[in-house]
Amino acid sequence: PAPTCLRDIDLEGYAEITDVSLYALAQGCSLLEGLNLWVCSQVSDAGIQTIAAACPNLRSLDVRLCSKVSGVAIMAIAKHCPQMRALYLERSGRITDTAIVALAHNCPHLHTLDLGWCDVSDATLAALAEHCRGLTCLNLGYCDAVTDTGLHMLSRGCRGLASLDIGGCSRLSDASLAFVAEVCPHLQSLDLGGCKLLITDAGLRAVARHCSALRSINLRFCEQVTDAGVQAVQAACVNVQVRR
């Protein structure tokens, strides 16, 4: 049968969606560009592999909280879907550097990538910096293996970053925050929540100096940040909303 002209399908929260459902989609919707499977907990690698092979124009995929979707599926996306622009992987199955490095190599048009709670390190950030220079939105929340070195590489390569979540990244310090602020002056959203002892007023002063377009900053559980640091950001970034 001829493929339907459906381009975007939103199945968010439908727990009854399974790999069998995705097989049917793959057969009938080869022109698919966007697929939202957020919290479709029965979907697994096999279903995503089928979609990837059948839908080469796929540009956006959301598999957040799909615990059966792992790096195996992302390798299939990297192989078959070079037009991928936005990929949301927070709290999916085990996603490692191997899958994201392959994704970066083969999907250079990526502008939005959600890696919250994924098992990635500086190797991922180096690959993104080299191959995905148009990246504007990146979530690295609670990616514990990421260090200052990786964030330096990322910010040098992806200077157009507008949204960055590094909340809960326990190896990052003021030094990398200051560097990001300097080379990524277009930041509009910055999440530092849970950086308990590593981010201080010094890092916030760097943000205040360089990121006047900032609109949102999360400082919850940043125990070394004081009122003075917050006031510096508020004075320089007149439209900012501070979460503390």
Side-chain angles (χ1 to χ4, degrees), residues 162-193:
S163 176
L164 179 64
D165 184 342
I166 49 175
C169 292
S170 58
R171 302 188 188 189
L172 299 181
S173 72
D174 278 333
S176 57
L177 179 57
F179 190 81
V180 169
E182 183 176 352
V183 300
C184 301
H186 305 296
L187 274 176
Q188 296 181 27
S189 176
L190 182 60
D191 193 331
L192 304 172

mmCIF file of all heavy atoms in Angstrom, residues 162-193:
data_model
loop_
_atom_site.group_PDB
_atom_site.id
_atom_site.type_symbol
_atom_site.label_atom_id
_atom_site.label_comp_id
_atom_site.label_asym_id
_atom_site.label_seq_id
_atom_site.Cartn_x
_atom_site.Cartn_y
_atom_site.Cartn_z
ATOM 1 N N ALA A 162 21.726 27.809 23.378
ATOM 2 C CA ALA A 162 20.754 28.714 23.988
ATOM 3 C C ALA A 162 20.178 28.132 25.271
ATOM 4 O O ALA A 162 19.749 28.883 26.151
ATOM 5 C CB ALA A 162 19.624 29.010 23.014
ATOM 6 N N SER A 163 20.190 26.808 25.383
ATOM 7 C CA SER A 163 19.649 26.154 26.577
ATOM 8 C C SER A 163 20.601 25.044 26.993
ATOM 9 O O SER A 163 20.937 24.171 26.182
ATOM 10 C CB SER A 163 18.260 25.581 26.284
ATOM 11 O OG SER A 163 17.767 24.873 27.403
ATOM 12 N N LEU A 164 21.031 25.081 28.254
ATOM 13 C CA LEU A 164 21.981 24.085 28.761
ATOM 14 C C LEU A 164 21.572 23.659 30.166
ATOM 15 O O LEU A 164 21.418 24.491 31.052
ATOM 16 C CB LEU A 164 23.403 24.664 28.784
ATOM 17 C CG LEU A 164 24.497 23.734 29.318
ATOM 18 C CD1 LEU A 164 24.655 22.506 28.426
ATOM 19 C CD2 LEU A 164 25.827 24.480 29.435
ATOM 20 N N ASP A 165 21.394 22.362 30.333
ATOM 21 C CA ASP A 165 21.087 21.791 31.648
ATOM 22 C C ASP A 165 22.272 20.948 32.086
ATOM 23 O O ASP A 165 22.564 19.916 31.461
ATOM 24 C CB ASP A 165 19.822 20.933 31.556
ATOM 25 C CG ASP A 165 19.376 20.384 32.917
ATOM 26 O OD1 ASP A 165 20.193 20.373 33.864
ATOM 27 O OD2 ASP A 165 18.206 19.951 33.017
ATOM 28 N N ILE A 166 22.973 21.412 33.121
ATOM 29 C CA ILE A 166 24.068 20.642 33.707
ATOM 30 C C ILE A 166 23.789 20.392 35.189
ATOM 31 O O ILE A 166 24.694 20.179 35.985
ATOM 32 C CB ILE A 166 25.438 21.335 33.505
ATOM 33 C CG1 ILE A 166 25.385 22.814 33.907
ATOM 34 C CG2 ILE A 166 25.911 21.183 32.069
ATOM 35 C CD1 ILE A 166 26.723 23.517 33.835
ATOM 36 N N GLY A 167 22.503 20.437 35.535
ATOM 37 C CA GLY A 167 22.115 20.194 36.914
ATOM 38 C C GLY A 167 22.548 18.813 37.379
ATOM 39 O O GLY A 167 22.436 17.835 36.651
ATOM 40 N N GLY A 168 23.063 18.735 38.609
ATOM 41 C CA GLY A 168 23.440 17.457 39.174
ATOM 42 C C GLY A 168 24.708 16.852 38.618
ATOM 43 O O GLY A 168 25.042 15.706 38.942
ATOM 44 N N CYS A 169 25.429 17.579 37.763
ATOM 45 C CA CYS A 169 26.709 17.081 37.231
ATOM 46 C C CYS A 169 27.781 17.345 38.283
ATOM 47 O O CYS A 169 28.285 18.464 38.412
ATOM 48 C CB CYS A 169 27.047 17.760 35.911
ATOM 49 S SG CYS A 169 25.937 17.315 34.562
ATOM 50 N N SER A 170 28.148 16.315 39.009
ATOM 51 C CA SER A 170 28.917 16.489 40.236
ATOM 52 C C SER A 170 30.400 16.767 40.025
ATOM 53 O O SER A 170 31.126 17.012 40.991
ATOM 54 C CB SER A 170 28.762 15.239 41.112
ATOM 55 O OG SER A 170 29.187 14.078 40.404
ATOM 56 N N ARG A 171 30.872 16.742 38.781
ATOM 57 C CA ARG A 171 32.303 16.982 38.528
ATOM 58 C C ARG A 171 32.574 18.342 37.885
ATOM 59 O O ARG A 171 33.705 18.632 37.505
ATOM 60 C CB ARG A 171 32.867 15.886 37.636
ATOM 61 C CG ARG A 171 32.712 14.482 38.216
ATOM 62 C CD ARG A 171 33.469 13.467 37.387
ATOM 63 N NE ARG A 171 33.168 12.110 37.818
ATOM 64 C CZ ARG A 171 33.807 11.032 37.390
ATOM 65 N NH1 ARG A 171 34.779 11.156 36.495
ATOM 66 N NH2 ARG A 171 33.479 9.832 37.816
ATOM 67 N N LEU A 172 31.544 19.155 37.742
ATOM 68 C CA LEU A 172 31.727 20.460 37.102
ATOM 69 C C LEU A 172 31.987 21.541 38.139
ATOM 70 O O LEU A 172 31.547 21.455 39.277
ATOM 71 C CB LEU A 172 30.494 20.817 36.279
ATOM 72 C CG LEU A 172 30.156 19.858 35.146
ATOM 73 C CD1 LEU A 172 28.925 20.333 34.398
ATOM 74 C CD2 LEU A 172 31.339 19.707 34.187
ATOM 75 N N SER A 173 32.691 22.597 37.715
ATOM 76 C CA SER A 173 33.078 23.657 38.641
ATOM 77 C C SER A 173 32.811 25.036 38.037
ATOM 78 O O SER A 173 32.393 25.161 36.885
ATOM 79 C CB SER A 173 34.571 23.534 38.976
ATOM 80 O OG SER A 173 35.357 23.925 37.860
ATOM 81 N N ASP A 174 33.088 26.056 38.825
ATOM 82 C CA ASP A 174 32.994 27.435 38.350
ATOM 83 C C ASP A 174 33.812 27.668 37.091
ATOM 84 O O ASP A 174 33.436 28.472 36.237
ATOM 85 C CB ASP A 174 33.510 28.395 39.432
ATOM 86 C CG ASP A 174 32.461 28.705 40.488
ATOM 87 O OD1 ASP A 174 31.262 28.631 40.184
ATOM 88 O OD2 ASP A 174 32.851 29.039 41.617
ATOM 89 N N ALA A 175 34.942 26.985 36.970
ATOM 90 C CA ALA A 175 35.838 27.214 35.826
ATOM 91 C C ALA A 175 35.123 26.920 34.511
ATOM 92 O O ALA A 175 35.197 27.707 33.558
ATOM 93 C CB ALA A 175 37.087 26.347 35.956
ATOM 94 N N SER A 176 34.429 25.792 34.449
ATOM 95 C CA SER A 176 33.748 25.462 33.196
ATOM 96 C C SER A 176 32.523 26.339 32.988
ATOM 97 O O SER A 176 32.210 26.716 31.853
ATOM 98 C CB SER A 176 33.354 23.983 33.162
ATOM 99 O OG SER A 176 32.547 23.639 34.257
ATOM 100 N N LEU A 177 31.839 26.700 34.069
ATOM 101 C CA LEU A 177 30.688 27.592 33.924
ATOM 102 C C LEU A 177 31.127 28.938 33.361
ATOM 103 O O LEU A 177 30.480 29.496 32.467
ATOM 104 C CB LEU A 177 29.995 27.785 35.275
ATOM 105 C CG LEU A 177 28.783 28.721 35.272
ATOM 106 C CD1 LEU A 177 27.727 28.255 34.286
ATOM 107 C CD2 LEU A 177 28.198 28.825 36.678
ATOM 108 N N ALA A 178 32.233 29.456 33.861
ATOM 109 C CA ALA A 178 32.741 30.740 33.368
ATOM 110 C C ALA A 178 33.125 30.650 31.899
ATOM 111 O O ALA A 178 32.873 31.571 31.117
ATOM 112 C CB ALA A 178 33.936 31.174 34.202
ATOM 113 N N PHE A 179 33.714 29.522 31.505
ATOM 114 C CA PHE A 179 34.128 29.360 30.105
ATOM 115 C C PHE A 179 32.904 29.280 29.199
ATOM 116 O O PHE A 179 32.861 29.907 28.135
ATOM 117 C CB PHE A 179 34.989 28.104 29.958
ATOM 118 C CG PHE A 179 35.644 27.987 28.616
ATOM 119 C CD1 PHE A 179 36.800 28.688 28.331
ATOM 120 C CD2 PHE A 179 35.099 27.176 27.634
ATOM 121 C CE1 PHE A 179 37.406 28.587 27.083
ATOM 122 C CE2 PHE A 179 35.686 27.067 26.385
ATOM 123 C CZ PHE A 179 36.846 27.780 26.113
ATOM 124 N N VAL A 180 31.909 28.506 29.611
ATOM 125 C CA VAL A 180 30.676 28.403 28.824
ATOM 126 C C VAL A 180 30.038 29.776 28.656
ATOM 127 O O VAL A 180 29.617 30.162 27.561
ATOM 128 C CB VAL A 180 29.682 27.433 29.492
ATOM 129 C CG1 VAL A 180 28.314 27.524 28.833
ATOM 130 C CG2 VAL A 180 30.193 26.005 29.414
ATOM 131 N N ALA A 181 29.963 30.528 29.742
ATOM 132 C CA ALA A 181 29.341 31.851 29.685
ATOM 133 C C ALA A 181 30.071 32.762 28.692
ATOM 134 O O ALA A 181 29.441 33.502 27.935
ATOM 135 C CB ALA A 181 29.342 32.480 31.078
ATOM 136 N N GLU A 182 31.376 32.662 28.667
ATOM 137 C CA GLU A 182 32.172 33.546 27.808
ATOM 138 C C GLU A 182 32.016 33.214 26.333
ATOM 139 O O GLU A 182 31.888 34.114 25.493
ATOM 140 C CB GLU A 182 33.647 33.466 28.203
ATOM 141 C CG GLU A 182 34.530 34.406 27.403
ATOM 142 C CD GLU A 182 35.977 34.400 27.867
ATOM 143 O OE1 GLU A 182 36.275 33.778 28.903
ATOM 144 O OE2 GLU A 182 36.811 35.021 27.175
ATOM 145 N N VAL A 183 32.020 31.916 25.993
ATOM 146 C CA VAL A 183 32.015 31.549 24.578
ATOM 147 C C VAL A 183 30.611 31.253 24.042
ATOM 148 O O VAL A 183 30.434 31.103 22.831
ATOM 149 C CB VAL A 183 32.955 30.347 24.292
ATOM 150 C CG1 VAL A 183 34.372 30.676 24.683
ATOM 151 C CG2 VAL A 183 32.472 29.094 24.980
ATOM 152 N N CYS A 184 29.615 31.166 24.929
ATOM 153 C CA CYS A 184 28.217 30.936 24.513
ATOM 154 C C CYS A 184 27.335 32.064 25.052
ATOM 155 O O CYS A 184 26.472 31.847 25.913
ATOM 156 C CB CYS A 184 27.721 29.589 25.019
ATOM 157 S SG CYS A 184 28.673 28.166 24.465
ATOM 158 N N PRO A 185 27.523 33.278 24.553
ATOM 159 C CA PRO A 185 26.834 34.443 25.118
ATOM 160 C C PRO A 185 25.339 34.496 24.815
ATOM 161 O O PRO A 185 24.632 35.351 25.344
ATOM 162 C CB PRO A 185 27.555 35.625 24.463
ATOM 163 C CG PRO A 185 28.038 35.076 23.153
ATOM 164 C CD PRO A 185 28.409 33.644 23.433
ATOM 165 N N HIS A 186 24.849 33.558 23.963
ATOM 166 C CA HIS A 186 23.432 33.577 23.591
ATOM 167 C C HIS A 186 22.578 32.710 24.513
ATOM 168 O O HIS A 186 21.385 32.523 24.241
ATOM 169 C CB HIS A 186 23.265 33.110 22.144
ATOM 170 C CG HIS A 186 24.084 33.900 21.165
ATOM 171 N ND1 HIS A 186 23.881 35.247 20.937
ATOM 172 C CD2 HIS A 186 25.129 33.537 20.375
ATOM 173 C CE1 HIS A 186 24.755 35.675 20.046
ATOM 174 N NE2 HIS A 186 25.521 34.667 19.696
ATOM 175 N N LEU A 187 23.170 32.202 25.587
ATOM 176 C CA LEU A 187 22.409 31.363 26.518
ATOM 177 C C LEU A 187 21.165 32.085 27.019
ATOM 178 O O LEU A 187 21.229 33.236 27.458
ATOM 179 C CB LEU A 187 23.279 30.977 27.714
ATOM 180 C CG LEU A 187 24.164 29.746 27.579
ATOM 181 C CD1 LEU A 187 25.027 29.591 28.827
ATOM 182 C CD2 LEU A 187 23.333 28.478 27.353
ATOM 183 N N GLN A 188 20.038 31.396 26.948
ATOM 184 C CA GLN A 188 18.784 31.930 27.473
ATOM 185 C C GLN A 188 18.275 31.140 28.668
ATOM 186 O O GLN A 188 17.548 31.677 29.502
ATOM 187 C CB GLN A 188 17.711 31.928 26.376
ATOM 188 C CG GLN A 188 18.044 32.847 25.213
ATOM 189 C CD GLN A 188 16.955 32.829 24.169
ATOM 190 O OE1 GLN A 188 15.793 32.580 24.454
ATOM 191 N NE2 GLN A 188 17.338 33.093 22.926
ATOM 192 N N SER A 189 18.647 29.857 28.743
ATOM 193 C CA SER A 189 18.210 29.003 29.843
ATOM 194 C C SER A 189 19.396 28.206 30.364
ATOM 195 O O SER A 189 20.114 27.571 29.578
ATOM 196 C CB SER A 189 17.104 28.050 29.359
ATOM 197 O OG SER A 189 16.730 27.159 30.385
ATOM 198 N N LEU A 190 19.587 28.228 31.677
ATOM 199 C CA LEU A 190 20.726 27.551 32.301
ATOM 200 C C LEU A 190 20.251 26.865 33.574
ATOM 201 O O LEU A 190 19.712 27.514 34.467
ATOM 202 C CB LEU A 190 21.827 28.564 32.621
ATOM 203 C CG LEU A 190 23.119 28.034 33.242
ATOM 204 C CD1 LEU A 190 23.793 27.017 32.316
ATOM 205 C CD2 LEU A 190 24.070 29.185 33.545
ATOM 206 N N ASP A 191 20.431 25.554 33.635
ATOM 207 C CA ASP A 191 20.012 24.782 34.810
ATOM 208 C C ASP A 191 21.251 24.267 35.530
ATOM 209 O O ASP A 191 22.011 23.467 34.983
ATOM 210 C CB ASP A 191 19.126 23.612 34.370
ATOM 211 C CG ASP A 191 18.403 22.961 35.551
ATOM 212 O OD1 ASP A 191 18.943 23.006 36.677
ATOM 213 O OD2 ASP A 191 17.307 22.418 35.347
ATOM 214 N N LEU A 192 21.434 24.752 36.749
ATOM 215 C CA LEU A 192 22.559 24.339 37.590
ATOM 216 C C LEU A 192 22.059 23.622 38.847
ATOM 217 O O LEU A 192 22.827 23.391 39.776
ATOM 218 C CB LEU A 192 23.383 25.565 38.005
ATOM 219 C CG LEU A 192 23.921 26.438 36.878
ATOM 220 C CD1 LEU A 192 24.546 27.710 37.441
ATOM 221 C CD2 LEU A 192 24.938 25.673 36.041
ATOM 222 N N GLY A 193 20.786 23.294 38.878
ATOM 223 C CA GLY A 193 20.193 22.708 40.072
ATOM 224 C C GLY A 193 20.915 21.453 40.526
ATOM 225 O O GLY A 193 21.208 20.569 39.734
#
